[in-house]
Amino acid sequence: QVQVVESGGGLVQPGESLRISCTAFGSIFFAMGWYRQASGNQRELTARIILRGGNIDYSDTVNYADSVKGRFTISKSGESTVYLQMNSLRPEDTAVYYCHALSTSGDEYWGQGTQVTVSS
């Protein structure tokens, strides 16, 4: 049984930093990442990292939403844990952040979500 477990999140003031973590269990994963969903909005990709490169070694390739480039950094530890370091946080970063894991067989798994609130 696959599990995706997130930790971190919370309330911070504008300009502060926060790190959220995610570990996936129960499968072999090709990529992991973070999506976020603000109230009234659709869920959107925030950052993603390739965990396994396959025949062409593009492991560690990362993608970011334009709105977080230069402020957020996604990293990995091993092949089942990812972190999202969020710096210079803004009120518009307030959202529920969901961890996403894509297995090598193409199955998708989601965490339960963790709330990040940026407010003074």
Side-chain angles (χ1 to χ4, degrees), residues 4-119:
V4 180
V5 181
E6 301 141 338
S7 62
L11 171 64
V12 297
Q13 295 189 349
E16 293 186 339
S17 298
L18 197 63
R19 188 177 85 157
I20 53 180
S21 307
C22 175
T23 298
F25 306 90
S27 188
I28 299 173
F29 300 100
F30 170 72
M32 292 179 68
W34 293 94
Y35 286 70
R36 68 184 184 183
Q37 186 169 17
S39 179
N41 291 354
Q42 291 186 330
R43 193 174 298 188
E44 61 179 12
L45 175 66
T46 303
R48 188 183 80 153
I49 186 167
I50 303 298
L51 302 175
R52 296 170 178 269
N55 292 330
I56 301 174
D57 187 12
Y58 50 91
S59 61
D60 295 345
T61 300
V62 297
N63 299 101
Y64 294 100
D66 288 342
S67 58
V68 306
K69 283 180 181 177
R71 300 187 298 120
F72 289 14
T73 302
I74 189 169
S75 61
K76 69 176 187 179
S77 175
E79 294 180 331
S80 61
T81 296
V82 294
Y83 306 97
L84 186 66
Q85 177 67 42
M86 303 180 287
N87 297 329
S88 302
L89 281 160
R90 305 167 179 169
E92 54 264 38
D93 295 317
T94 295
V96 178
Y97 285 71
Y98 294 92
C99 183
H100 175 265
L102 177 66
S103 74
T104 53
S105 58
D107 296 313
E108 297 182 88
Y109 303 92
W110 294 92
Q112 77 282 1
T114 186
Q115 177 71 46
V116 172
T117 301
V118 185
S119 175

